[in-house]
Amino acid sequence: MSIIKFPKDMKWGTATASYQIEGAAFEDGRGLSIWDTFSHTPGKVKNGDNGDVACDSYHRYEEDIELIKDLGINIYRFSVSWPRIYPNGTGKINQKGIEFYHKFIDKLLENGIEPMCTLYHWDLPQALQDKGGWANRETIEAFVNYAETMFKEFNGKIKYWITLNEPWCVSFLSNYIGTHAPGNQDLQLATDISHHLLIAHGKTVSKFRELNIEGEIGYAPNTTWLEPFSDKQEDIDACHREIGHYVEWFMDPVFKGEYPQFMLDWFRKKGVRLHIQDGDLESINQPIDFLGINYYTGYIARYKENSGLFDFEYIKMGYERTEIDWPVYPEGFYKVLTYINNRYGNIPIYITENGACYNDEPINGKIKDKKRIKYLKQHLVALSRAIESGVNIKGYLLWSLMDNFEWAEGYSKRFGIVHVDYDTLKRTKKDSFYWYKKLVGNNWFEF
Ligand code: BGC
């Protein structure tokens, strides 16, 4: 048994997102988002589930904040539903939406919990999608305008701002693989969208600086790690392409003001070219205050000709898998963090998401989610190693506070440390909740 201890000023939190927990999809003037449309389209989401009610946090936020308070965390990451603020994406503001977030944020602050606000966690107003969505550069301006409204309204209340959650998912997963809203399958389109998202991010950061908003701003790309099966160059290169699709593609433009050449070359081979206009890279390349990192899984992989977009295959190495079938690969967490630190310098990092899907149900009122605790311990050991190696980790936000609408998987996959009964909406703390509470209180845990 050993003790894993964290730096004194380490922040501990949990994370959620608006469409996954709020519900109240048609209330108080909220407009429709692409996830309303997608989830109501037969065949898109498992069991035909949708976020109409979700965890009903829009009505139960006080109860949820009680849970957060009990957990003892000092930071809570949530996202704002853009169509609650601008039902049509731009134009008229919906005052009720603004009021809701004021009530909610005030309650967090009253309880000594620092809000970390994500401006875009995937619920694009449908009205903007109808005009092309992120493929249309007008959406960039609409986003910056929405962000400006939020900055002015909540200046001084929100200290940590995140522009985008997981731009890889918004572009490639949603517009090339097509399993997330809006569900397109077009590589050129997805690539254009990835570029537009980065411009939207950069312009929002500039707006934040121009308005002199208090606090810090960053974004939260998702990461993974692929360890080459052998030291053959072709295996190393194949793994590098897949890592590069998450890391270099979405971070080089932000930190270095350029796209990685090896990825541009690869995309060109696939018949895709990037439409960069004058000034785009300058817009993207804005200094940020912190980087949010989401990490869940990684793989061992090797080169395989004509296999998928990047010519690699995963190797089954006997790793445990969570119930969403993702390998438990904590070593990848350490590796990707040190890789990012080496490549981009010692930028402050918040782990804005990390967690595991296990579907344990209550037995006699108790939820013994041992495997989740094991997963968390393993990843926190990896995180502690990264800190020891000099990675500038400021905080860790566990995904997720509670079970919620898991996108294309609907309610069939549970990531929470609080169980939600979707018939009664009753919340029940899992064993992992109590385990995390102890860690947060001590700032260390036993491994
Ligand atoms: C997303 C979350 C999601 C989680 C688990 C991340 O990709 O940001 O919204 O629930 O992973 O799939």
Side-chain angles (χ1 to χ4, degrees):
M1 200 68 87
S2 52
I3 300 279
I4 308 292
K5 206 168 163 14
F6 291 90
K8 264 210 302 302
D9 53 355
M10 177 86 176
K11 287 201 186 325
W12 297 103
T14 57
T16 58
S18 49
Y19 191 71
Q20 295 182 273
I21 66 163
E22 282 181 2
F26 311 105
E27 267 175 66
D28 289 346
R30 174 184 178 278
L32 292 182
S33 84
I34 54 174
W35 271 96
D36 296 297
T37 310
F38 193 74
S39 63
H40 282 269
T41 308
K44 298 294 186 195
V45 173
K46 206 171 208 165
N47 304 320
D49 291 342
N50 59 59
D52 291 3
V53 177
C55 306
D56 196 33
S57 291
Y58 187 76
H59 299 115
R60 295 168 196 248
Y61 70 91
E62 290 182 311
E63 185 185 342
D64 293 342
I65 292 177
E66 279 304 312
L67 288 168
I68 298 172
K69 197 179 156 194
D70 182 16
L71 193 53
I73 52 179
N74 41 29
I75 188 164
Y76 177 66
R77 176 177 179 227
F78 65 97
S79 79
V80 170
S81 161
W82 181 354
R84 266 193 214 290
I85 306 297
Y86 283 104
N88 291 314
T90 54
K92 203 168 165 324
I93 296 182
N94 175 35
Q95 216 44 50
K96 289 238 156 118
I98 301 267
E99 278 163 29
F100 168 72
Y101 290 107
H102 269 299
K103 279 190 302 191
F104 169 70
I105 290 161
D106 289 348
K107 194 93 206 150
L108 285 175
L109 292 171
E110 260 169 57
N111 286 288
I113 302 149
E114 196 77 74
M116 178 181 257
C117 172
T118 310
L119 288 165
Y120 189 73
H121 201 130
W122 308 354
D123 37 6
L124 182 73
Q126 181 61 42
L128 296 179
Q129 185 61 41
D130 294 344
K131 292 189 273 175
W134 286 110
N136 182 346
R137 281 182 178 245
E138 282 175 22
T139 298
I140 300 173
E141 301 317 317
F143 180 71
V144 178
N145 172 63
Y146 149 64
E148 176 171 355
T149 301
M150 292 298 297
F151 292 154
K152 288 181 175 160
E153 193 65 46
F154 295 95
N155 189 16
K157 284 194 182 183
I158 296 176
K159 180 162 172 207
Y160 299 100
W161 294 89
I162 292 177
T163 55
L164 307 173
N165 179 65
E166 304 193 344
W168 179 88
C169 291
V170 183
S171 48
F172 293 98
L173 183 62
S174 307
N175 291 283
Y176 169 57
I177 300 170
T179 48
H180 276 197
N184 296 312
Q185 293 185 314
D186 179 334
L187 186 56
Q188 179 64 59
L189 177 78
T191 310
D192 290 340
I193 286 177
S194 68
H195 181 55
H196 294 170
L197 287 166
L198 288 171
I199 301 172
H201 157 77
K203 288 197 165 184
T204 303
V205 173
S206 301
K207 184 57 78 182
F208 184 83
R209 308 281 182 224
E210 176 194 315
L211 295 171
N212 239 319
I213 301 298
E214 284 170 39
E216 300 183 6
I217 190 161
Y219 73 136
N222 46 322
T223 60
T224 185
W225 187 258
L226 269 75
E227 190 65 25
F229 180 67
S230 80
D231 52 15
K232 280 192 205 143
Q233 197 57 43
E234 60 184 20
D235 288 353
I236 295 170
D237 290 346
C239 289
H240 189 202
R241 285 191 290 274
E242 177 70 354
I243 293 171
H245 199 204
Y246 292 80
V247 176
E248 281 92 326
W249 188 261
F250 288 98
M251 297 186 200
D252 277 16
V254 171
F255 292 108
K256 297 173 183 268
E258 62 190 19
Y259 279 93
Q261 194 56 48
F262 75 104
M263 296 294 293
L264 288 171
D265 294 345
W266 189 263
F267 277 132
R268 196 164 310 124
K269 255 178 56 178
K270 300 280 167 183
V272 167
R273 60 177 276 270
L274 202 53
H275 299 100
I276 302 183
Q277 296 181 7
D278 281 354
D280 283 356
L281 288 166
E282 291 73 12
S283 298
I284 299 172
N285 181 212
Q286 299 302 319
I288 54 175
D289 301 308
F290 67 89
L291 175 63
I293 290 292
N294 296 355
Y295 178 88
Y296 289 91
T297 191
Y299 303 83
I300 310 274
R302 72 176 157 209
Y303 173 69
K304 187 176 181 199
E305 201 179 351
N306 296 326
S307 176
L309 184 53
F310 295 117
D311 287 7
F312 71 88
E313 65 175 353
Y314 295 133
I315 309 283
K316 290 206 165 73
M317 297 295 288
Y319 288 111
E320 274 178 40
R321 286 175 181 250
T322 60
E323 284 184 50
I324 199 166
D325 211 29
W326 300 346
V328 176
Y329 194 55
E331 186 65 15
F333 193 22
Y334 171 79
K335 292 237 165 127
V336 80
L337 286 171
T338 45
Y339 185 74
I340 287 168
N341 193 60
N342 291 337
R343 191 167 175 86
Y344 304 110
N346 209 227
I347 171 119
I349 292 180
Y350 285 86
I351 305 306
T352 35
E353 286 181 32
N354 174 243
C357 171
Y358 289 108
N359 287 340
D360 307 88
E361 288 288 340
I363 301 173
N364 300 326
K366 295 224 177 314
I367 300 146
K368 298 191 175 302
D369 56 339
K370 278 203 194 69
K371 290 185 176 163
R372 177 172 291 102
I373 297 175
K374 184 174 170 198
Y375 175 101
L376 293 172
K377 282 183 175 173
Q378 291 172 320
H379 285 76
L380 285 164
V381 169
L383 186 66
S384 157
R385 284 181 58 212
I387 295 172
E388 285 301 317
S389 308
V391 183
N392 192 0
I393 302 290
K394 296 287 180 199
Y396 174 90
L397 294 98
L398 190 158
W399 185 273
S400 178
L401 173 66
M402 58 189 154
D403 297 335
N404 56 48
F405 177 78
E406 180 46 38
W407 307 113
E409 300 292 338
Y411 297 101
S412 73
K413 300 282 185 267
R414 296 176 178 270
F415 278 82
I417 55 172
V418 172
H419 177 272
V420 177
D421 176 328
Y422 293 114
D423 294 327
T424 61
L425 296 168
K426 182 172 184 285
R427 280 91 161 121
T428 309
K429 296 165 195 166
K430 303 184 188 180
D431 280 1
S432 55
F433 179 98
Y434 296 105
W435 175 82
Y436 192 49
K437 177 175 171 161
K438 198 168 158 202
L439 156 62
V440 170
N442 288 340
N443 207 30
W444 54 260
F445 70 98
E446 279 176 27
F447 185 64

